[in-house]
Amino acid sequence: MARKLKKTITRKLFLIQLLTSLVLVSGMYVFVQWSFDRGFIRYVEQRERQLIDGLSEQLAADYAAHGGWESLRTSPRRWLQLVLSSVGHPVQGDRFERILARLHADEWPPKQLPQPPPGLPQPLEWRIRLLDAGQQVVYGRTGEPIAEFKLYPIENTGAVVGYLGMRADEVSFAVGHDLQFAEQQNKSFLLIALVMLVISAAIAMPLARYFVDPIRAVTNASRRLASGDYSPRISHKTDDELGQLARDFNELAHTLSRNEALRRQWVADISHELRTPVTILRGEIEAIRDGTYALNAEAVESLHEETLHLSRLIDDLYELSMSDIGALDYHKVPLNLGAAATDVLEGLERAFDARSIQLESHGLDDAQAIIHADPDRIAQLLSNILQNSLRYTDNGGRVRLTVAVQERRVRLTLEDSAPGVSGQDLTRLFDRLYRGDSSRNRKVAGTGLGLAICRNIVEAHDGTIAAEASTLGGLCIRVQLPLSVEAPT
C-alpha cells in the first residue's frame, strides 16, 4: 500500500504559493486578453472608419469634378483604383486587369475573388457599396436590401450626394480580417502565462524550504531539549519573526541549562548541609555507645546543639521552598516600618548586649515610613538581617539601622562593623546555601538560607534588596520597599 504523504509545512507553503501564482497568472491572463480584445476591436473599428472617411472624401471630390456619379458609374477602372488606393492596397499590372475583367455592370464586388479563411469576412475593399443620394446602387449587387446596410453619407458643399454602405453583419464582423493577429496574440499570452506558472512553481519550492528550514531547526532542537540536552543553539541571521523565534529559543535553552545547573548545585548543597550535622550526631552517638565518650551533660549539650542546627536548616529549607512557590501567606496591611524595626530590635537587644555590640538606630520614629506589607513577614525579614549581623559581627562592634523615606519609597539600611565581606562574596550573598571562605562566614555555622529568604520576602513586597561594603567596616544591606498609597504626604 502506498505510503500516505505527510502534509508538512513545506508542502503547504508550496501549495499556497503555487495557488497564489495560479490565481494571479490566470487573472492577469484573462484581464490582459479582455483588455487586448477590447482595445484591438476599437483600434480596428477606428482604422476602418478612417479608411471609409478617406474614401468618402475622394468620392466627394470626384462627384464635384464630374458633376455627379454618372462618370464614375461608367468607369469601373477609376472606381476600382479609388477603392484599392483608399484602403492602402493598390493593385497594378496584370492582377489589376484580371480583377477589372471580372467586374460587370450591376455587380460589385467582382466575382471569383480569393476567398478568406473560414470564419473570416472579405477584406474591407470588397465589402464597400456606393449609393447615390436617392440610395440607388451605383456600385453593388442588384437585389441587395438597402435596410441591411449601414450607410455612411458622402457630402459635397454641405449636401449629401451619396452613401458608402456595408452590410450590418459585415460591420459587426469588421475586425475579421485581423482576427488572425488577435488569435496569435492570445496564444502568446496563454503560452506566457503557462511559462510564468512553471517558473512560479520552480521558485515556490525553494522559497518554502527557505522559510521552513528555521522552523525545522527549532523542531529538532526542541526534541533535544525534551530529551534533556540543553546544548543546542540556533543561528539567527534575520531580524524578522523567524529570527526572533530563534533568539527566544536560544534564551529558553540557556535558561533551562542554567536552571538545571542550579538545581544540581542546589541538591548537592542541601546534601552537603544535611550530611554535616547528621555525621556529627552519628559520630558522637556511636562514640557514646562504644564507651569512647561518657554520656554526661556536656555530651548531651553537644548533641542538642547539632540537633538544633539541623532543625534550623530544615525549617529554613521549608520556608525557602514555600516562598519560592508562593505558598507563604501574605496578609498585607498598612505598616509602619520604623515601628516594626523597633519591636524586632527590642527582642534582640539583650543578645546584642551579651556580645557588647553597640546598637544605633535612626529614623525609626518617622511616621511617614508606611508600607503595605505583611507584619509577620517583615518581622521575619528584619529578624534575619539583624541576626545575620549579630552572628557575624565581632564582639564589641557596632550595628546601625536607618529608616528613611525618599521618592515614594521607604529605604532601610543595616550596617555593621568588621569583619567585612569580599567583593566576590557580595555578588553571591543572597544565593541559597552560599557561604564564602572569609572569616565572617567561618566563625559561625549558619544555614546560608536566611538572606535568600529575605530576598524572597522583599520581592514579594515589590521591593529590592542589595548588599555592599559598610562604612563601618563590615556589611551593609539596603532594602527598598514602595511607600503605601495610604501613607500621609
Side-chain angles (χ1 to χ4, degrees), residues 22 43 113 152 157 198 221 234 236 250 254 262 264 273 295 305 307 321 343 376 381 393 423 432 452 470-471:
L22 178 61
Y43 162 75
L113 288 173
Y152 299 91
T157 64
V198 172
I234 302 174
H236 48 87
N250 292 341
H254 173 72
L262 291 175
R264 292 178 180 178
E273 293 295 329
L295 184 57
E305 288 181 2
T307 304
S321 63
D343 292 340
D376 294 336
L381 165 67
T393 304
R432 303 166 186 182
S470 170
T471 58

Side-chain angles (χ1 to χ4, degrees), residues 132-153:
D132 60 14
Q135 297 185 359
Q136 299 297 315
V137 176
V138 178
Y139 280 98
R141 293 184 184 277
T142 304
E144 290 182 319
I146 300 301
E148 296 180 0
F149 286 83
K150 183 175 182 180
L151 303 180
Y152 299 91

Side-chain angles (χ1 to χ4, degrees), residues 409-422:
R409 298 182 75 82
V410 180
R411 304 174 186 269
L412 183 144
T413 305
L414 178 66
E415 299 178 89
D416 57 34
S417 57
V421 179
S422 66

Side-chain angles (χ1 to χ4, degrees), residues 189-204:
F189 292 153
L190 179 59
L191 180 61
I192 292 174
L194 293 176
V195 171
M196 293 304 297
L197 187 60
V198 172
I199 294 176
S200 299
I203 296 176

Side-chain angles (χ1 to χ4, degrees), residues 14 67-68 199 324 448 466 474:
F14 170 74
I199 294 176
D324 280 343

Side-chain angles (χ1 to χ4, degrees), residues 292-344:
T292 304
Y293 290 161
L295 184 57
N296 51 28
E298 184 179 354
V300 173
E301 181 64 24
S302 177
L303 292 174
H304 183 257
E305 288 181 2
E306 293 300 329
T307 304
L308 289 178
H309 178 71
L310 183 60
S311 178
R312 286 196 305 270
L313 179 60
I314 294 174
D315 290 342
D316 286 349
L317 286 172
Y318 175 76
E319 288 195 9
L320 183 61
S321 63
M322 290 297 99
S323 64
D324 280 343
I325 64 176
L328 289 179
D329 293 331
Y330 287 88
H331 303 286
K332 297 181 180 180
V333 296
L335 175 68
N336 187 304
L337 184 59
T342 300
D343 292 340
V344 175

